[in-house]
Amino acid sequence: MWLSDRKKRALQKKDVDVRRRIELIQDFEMPTVSTNLRVSKDGQYILATGTYKPRIRCYDTYQLSLKFERCLDAEVVKFDVLSDDYSKIVFLQCDRYVEFHSQHGRYFRLRIPKFGRDFSYHYPSCDLYFVGASSEVFRLNLEQGRYLNSLQIGRA
């Protein structure tokens, strides 16, 4: 039985058993293996990537259900949510590609110079920093839409 939020709150105030109840997200699973998990900044969405077939699943914690599922071209090494909800996502894939997704699907795809192992997003400058199989850190500026000079990492 589905209740509105107002009726749920009223019922929780009256009934102790309802307050102790645990609600589970429907279909909160991955067919094979889940490799990465992120929660959106607003806390409403849980995003998970999996292998074979490479995919992403987005779960809505307010509705306790699967919001969407998308299949990808390659396995995801790492991903990050750039917006407060799921509307801007970036994926670093094992085939040297970086994919940008909007809420409607794949928006743009580009290849990075070396195989990537990790990345980080710097919000003030809109730069994505990629590290991988070399001593260079590649910088992609999302505002300008181009690579900037790479940074050299010294070995200790």
Side-chain angles (χ1 to χ4, degrees):
M1 180 164 108
W2 295 99
L3 298 173
S4 69
D5 288 338
R6 179 181 288 167
K7 288 183 181 180
K8 276 186 189 178
R9 284 192 301 271
L11 191 58
Q12 285 176 347
K13 289 179 184 176
K14 295 177 187 175
D15 193 350
V16 175
D17 290 333
V18 172
R19 277 190 295 228
R20 293 181 184 161
R21 185 178 299 160
I22 298 173
E23 297 186 45
L24 301 175
I25 298 175
Q26 296 175 9
D27 299 322
F28 194 69
E29 63 183 4
M30 194 60 74
T32 53
V33 176
S34 178
T35 55
N36 293 293
L37 190 71
R38 298 279 182 276
V39 177
S40 64
K41 290 177 186 66
D42 63 4
Q44 183 176 352
Y45 302 101
I46 299 172
L47 296 109
T49 60
T51 60
Y52 195 73
K53 293 177 113 176
R55 69 185 76 218
I56 181 169
R57 286 187 170 182
C58 179
Y59 300 95
D60 189 335
T61 58
Y62 293 175
Q63 300 296 321
L64 299 175
S65 63
L66 179 67
K67 180 81 173 170
F68 67 83
E69 176 181 25
R70 292 182 197 148
C71 289
L72 304 168
D73 294 336
E75 289 184 19
V76 175
V77 175
K78 186 178 176 187
F79 79 99
D80 203 2
V81 182
L82 301 181
S83 60
D84 290 340
D85 55 2
Y86 67 91
S87 62
K88 293 178 187 173
I89 310 170
V90 61
F91 299 97
L92 174 61
Q93 296 179 328
C94 66
D95 60 353
R96 289 180 45 191
Y97 277 97
V98 176
E99 282 190 6
F100 298 91
H101 284 235
S102 67
Q103 61 189 6
H104 304 293
R106 183 165 66 183
Y107 178 74
F108 190 73
R109 187 173 196 225
L110 66 93
R111 195 169 174 112
I112 56 175
K114 304 276 183 182
F115 286 101
R117 293 195 178 119
D118 200 2
F119 75 91
S120 182
Y121 181 64
H122 185 250
Y123 285 92
S125 65
C126 295
D127 286 346
L128 276 171
Y129 293 92
F130 296 98
V131 295
S134 71
S135 62
E136 291 181 281
V137 177
F138 299 102
R139 296 187 307 159
L140 176 66
N141 185 280
L142 299 182
E143 191 172 53
Q144 297 175 15
R146 66 182 183 99
Y147 283 103
L148 303 176
N149 292 334
S150 61
L151 305 172
Q152 292 293 328
I153 303 299
R155 296 179 191 244

